[in-house]
Amino acid sequence: MVEIHRVSFSYGDNEVLSDITFTWDTNELIYIWGPNGGGKTTLGYIISGLLMPKEGTIKRTDIGEEELLLMLQNPGDMVFTDNVITELAFGLENLGLNKNEMMRRIYWAMRTFELEKFAFESPQRLSGGELSLVVLASLIVMRPRFLILDEPFAHLDWFGRTRIFSALNTIREESSISVLEFGLKKEPSFEASKVYYLNKTLFDSHDEERSEIINIDFPVPGEPIAKLSDLFYIYKGKSKPAICGVDFTINEGEGIGIIGMNGAGKTTLGRLIAGIIKPSKGRVWVKGKCAYLFQFPERQFFKDNIFDDLLAGPVSLRLDNPRERVGKALELVGIPHTEWHSSPFTLSAGKLRRIAFASLIAIDPAIFVLDEPFADLDHNGIKEFALILQEIIKRGKSYIILSSNLSNLFSLVRRVIILKDGRLMWDGKLSEIPYSRREIRELGIVV
C-alpha cells in the first residue's frame, strides 16, 4: 500500500500541491485528472520518490524500489540505450534476472506491443507514439506492483492505445498490478476504483469544464507559398522510404491538418517542409521562412530563461528589433511579464507549448509546422492555442498541424491530408473526408 498523507509542495513561492491525502492499495486502479499546471506530474514525482514533499509524508508498505515505477510525461527522457531490444533489457539487467527469463519477457513485450519491426532501431528515430510504446513496454516487462502513468495516451494513435489496454489487462490477469493514471479529461481510460480531481488540492469530484469551441475564420486561400514535388525520404540504413512520392501545394492563409497513425511519416514530412532534413528525391519549394514546433517542445529550449531563449532566433537571423519581437511574441501567447525570465523547465506542459510557439512567432515565418501541438493540453490550453492560430491566420500566415487525433482538428483546419506508410492517401476538405469513423480508426487515427 502507498499512503499519501497531507502532502504539500512548492517550486519557490509557487505552491503546486496543498494538503494531499489518499491511499493507493494493492490491485487498485486510480485515476487523477485535472488541468495543465494542476500538480499531477509533481505528485507523480513525489509518490515515486523523485521529489520529496515540503510537508507531509509518503509511506510505502512492503514495496521495493523496483516495484513502484513511473512513466514520465515525456517518454524520451527515459531512454538509455541505442536500440529497442537493449532498451527493453535495460531494466531487467538491473533487476539481475537470468538470461532465459529476460529473453522470455522481452519476446512477450515485442509481441504484445507489436515492436518486432523496431527491434534494432534507435528509440530516438521512432515517432513520439512509437517511443511511448517502447518506454511503457520497458517498464511493464519489469513486472512492477505499482505503476504510475503520466498522460500515457497523449502521443498515441488508435492502435497504440489499444495495445496499452491489452497489455495491462494481460498483466492484471497474470498478477496483481496497481495503476495510477494521470489525465486531462474527466473520463478514465480504465475502469477505475477511485477518481479524483487535482488542481493544487485533491477533490473527490468535479464537473468537467469545457471551453467554447474556437472556429478559425479562414480567408480565401491566397497564392502558393510552398510546393512539394514527387517527394521521397529514406532514412540511412533503411530500404523502405519514410515518405514516398508525396505531392501537394500549400497556399497563403491555409490551415492544414496532416493526419495518420504513429509512424505514418507525419513528422518526417513536417521536417522536410521546414527544411530540417533534405529529401532523398524530389523537391521542396518554400517562399519565405518555415518554422517547426517540436512534438516535445522542451527539446527546443537551451537557455536558462525564457526571454534569452526566444531572443536567440531573431539574433541569429539578424532580424531588426529582436527584443521587441520577443516581447510581442510572448504577449501574443499570453505569457505575463513576471515569467519572462523564468526557467522554461519549471512550467506546465500547456505553458511550455505556448512559449515554444512564441519562439517561432518571433522569427516571423510564412509557414508554421506544428507537431502534435495538442498532445498534452487541457480544454483551456487548446482554446488558448486556437486563439493564437486565429491571430496567425489574420496575419496572412499558414500553418500545418501534424496529428494522429482528428478530433482535435475539427474547428481548426479546413483541409486535411491523410498519410499511410509515407504515402498521401487523400487530400481535401475536412468536411468531405470519404471515410467512416470505423475506417478512420482502421487507419490508426483517433476520432
Side-chain angles (χ1 to χ4, degrees):
M1 176 184 288
V2 181
E3 298 174 83
I4 298 92
H5 182 67
R6 309 206 69 176
V7 164
S8 297
F9 189 87
S10 301
Y11 293 103
D13 295 330
N14 180 27
E15 185 181 45
V16 293
L17 295 173
S18 177
D19 200 23
I20 307 296
T21 297
F22 69 98
T23 59
W24 181 20
D25 211 342
T26 303
N27 207 26
E28 189 171 40
L29 300 178
I30 296 178
Y31 181 68
I32 298 179
W33 69 285
N36 294 131
K40 301 185 298 296
T41 295
T42 300
L43 181 58
Y45 287 169
I46 290 173
I47 295 173
S48 63
L50 293 178
L51 286 176
M52 295 299 293
K54 301 293 184 182
E55 297 178 13
T57 59
I58 301 288
K59 184 179 179 182
R60 306 174 187 87
T61 304
D62 298 324
I63 303 173
E65 287 186 5
E66 76 284 357
E67 294 179 314
L68 195 160
L69 302 179
L70 164 68
M71 180 176 172
L72 300 178
Q73 193 172 8
N74 181 354
D77 292 340
M78 302 184 68
V79 173
F80 299 98
T81 69
D82 58 4
N83 71 57
V84 169
I85 283 185
T86 54
E87 192 64 34
L88 294 175
F90 184 83
L92 302 178
E93 290 173 339
N94 280 276
L95 292 179
L97 298 183
N98 64 62
K99 186 175 181 179
N100 288 339
E101 178 61 15
M102 283 177 55
M103 296 309 296
R104 187 186 71 81
R105 294 193 189 186
I106 289 171
Y107 287 139
W108 173 85
M110 298 284 280
R111 290 194 307 272
T112 300
F113 290 91
E114 299 181 25
L115 300 175
E116 293 98 331
K117 62 182 177 181
F118 305 127
F120 300 102
E121 288 279 357
S122 166
Q124 301 293 359
R125 291 272 296 273
L126 302 179
S127 71
E130 292 164 348
L131 182 60
S132 294
L133 287 175
V134 170
V135 170
L136 181 59
S138 73
L139 296 178
I140 287 181
V141 293
M142 296 173 69
R143 295 293 192 266
R145 290 172 55 208
F146 291 80
L147 179 63
I148 302 172
L149 303 175
D150 193 354
E151 297 180 22
F153 302 103
H155 301 277
L156 293 179
D157 61 19
W158 183 256
F159 297 136
R161 296 176 184 213
T162 303
R163 288 170 200 151
I164 288 182
F165 289 135
S166 174
L168 289 176
N169 286 334
T170 299
I171 291 173
R172 285 178 60 77
E173 290 172 2
E174 294 177 355
S175 61
S176 62
I177 181 172
S178 305
V179 178
L180 170 57
E181 180 191 348
F182 294 117
L184 292 167
K185 298 181 179 180
K186 186 175 183 179
E187 292 300 321
S189 303
F190 307 100
E191 189 174 339
S193 51
K194 296 176 184 174
V195 177
Y196 298 109
Y197 173 78
L198 177 63
N199 190 1
K200 189 165 75 172
T201 301
L202 202 66
F203 302 89
D204 289 328
S205 64
H206 185 81
D207 290 331
E208 189 166 15
E209 299 172 7
R210 289 189 172 271
S211 302
E212 62 180 298
I213 297 174
I214 304 297
N215 290 294
I216 305 296
D217 184 19
F218 291 103
V220 175
E223 63 179 23
I225 54 173
K227 186 174 179 61
L228 285 62
S229 305
D230 194 27
L231 201 61
F232 284 78
Y233 187 82
I234 304 175
Y235 284 101
K236 186 177 180 180
K238 291 289 186 179
S239 58
K240 182 180 178 182
I243 294 296
C244 187
V246 170
D247 292 273
F248 65 88
T249 298
I250 303 165
N251 298 305
E252 186 178 68
E254 276 198 301
I256 302 172
I258 298 180
I259 62 172
M261 64 182 288
N262 296 142
K266 302 184 300 295
T267 294
T268 302
L269 184 57
R271 291 178 177 178
L272 285 165
I273 296 169
I276 297 173
I277 55 177
K278 301 299 180 185
S280 305
K281 179 187 173 186
R283 182 170 179 259
V284 178
W285 169 81
V286 177
K287 181 181 179 181
K289 295 189 291 289
C290 181
Y292 186 92
L293 179 67
F294 281 67
Q295 187 170 359
F296 301 103
E298 54 269 36
R299 295 180 179 176
Q300 294 185 219
F301 297 102
F302 52 92
K303 296 281 189 178
D304 292 333
N305 71 75
I306 293 165
F307 196 91
D308 287 348
D309 206 298
L310 269 63
L311 195 61
V315 168
S316 64
L317 292 172
R318 298 182 179 179
L319 302 180
D320 59 329
N321 304 316
R323 300 186 72 85
E324 182 182 345
R325 287 174 176 270
V326 171
K328 287 183 176 180
L330 287 169
E331 288 172 354
L332 174 60
V333 302
I335 304 301
H337 289 248
T338 54
E339 295 183 359
W340 286 10
H341 296 285
S342 302
S343 167
F345 302 106
T346 63
L347 304 174
S348 69
K351 196 167 285 185
L352 198 61
R353 284 199 181 276
R354 282 188 283 141
I355 293 167
F357 202 172
S359 72
L360 310 188
I361 294 168
I363 64 171
D364 194 31
I367 303 172
F368 295 80
V369 179
L370 313 172
D371 197 349
E372 296 283 5
F374 310 116
D376 43 19
L377 295 184
D378 58 20
H379 291 299
N380 283 329
I382 293 174
K383 176 186 175 182
E384 290 165 351
F385 215 90
L387 291 170
I388 301 168
L389 293 177
Q390 178 68 84
E391 181 60 31
I392 293 300
I393 291 296
K394 285 181 180 178
R395 295 182 179 188
K397 312 295 185 180
S398 300
Y399 61 79
I400 298 168
I401 299 175
L402 313 177
S403 183
S404 60
N405 192 330
L406 181 61
S407 302
N408 288 333
L409 305 186
F410 283 134
S411 63
L412 304 179
V413 303
R414 279 188 180 170
R415 178 181 169 195
V416 166
I417 292 170
I418 299 177
L419 283 186
K420 182 181 180 183
D421 296 330
R423 297 179 182 274
L424 195 155
M425 299 289 290
W426 190 78
D427 179 0
K429 292 181 180 180
L430 175 63
S431 58
E432 298 176 357
I433 290 179
Y435 300 108
S436 67
R437 179 181 291 265
R438 178 183 60 80
E439 289 170 327
I440 289 173
R441 285 181 172 174
E442 287 175 353
L443 289 168
I445 299 165
V446 179
V447 64

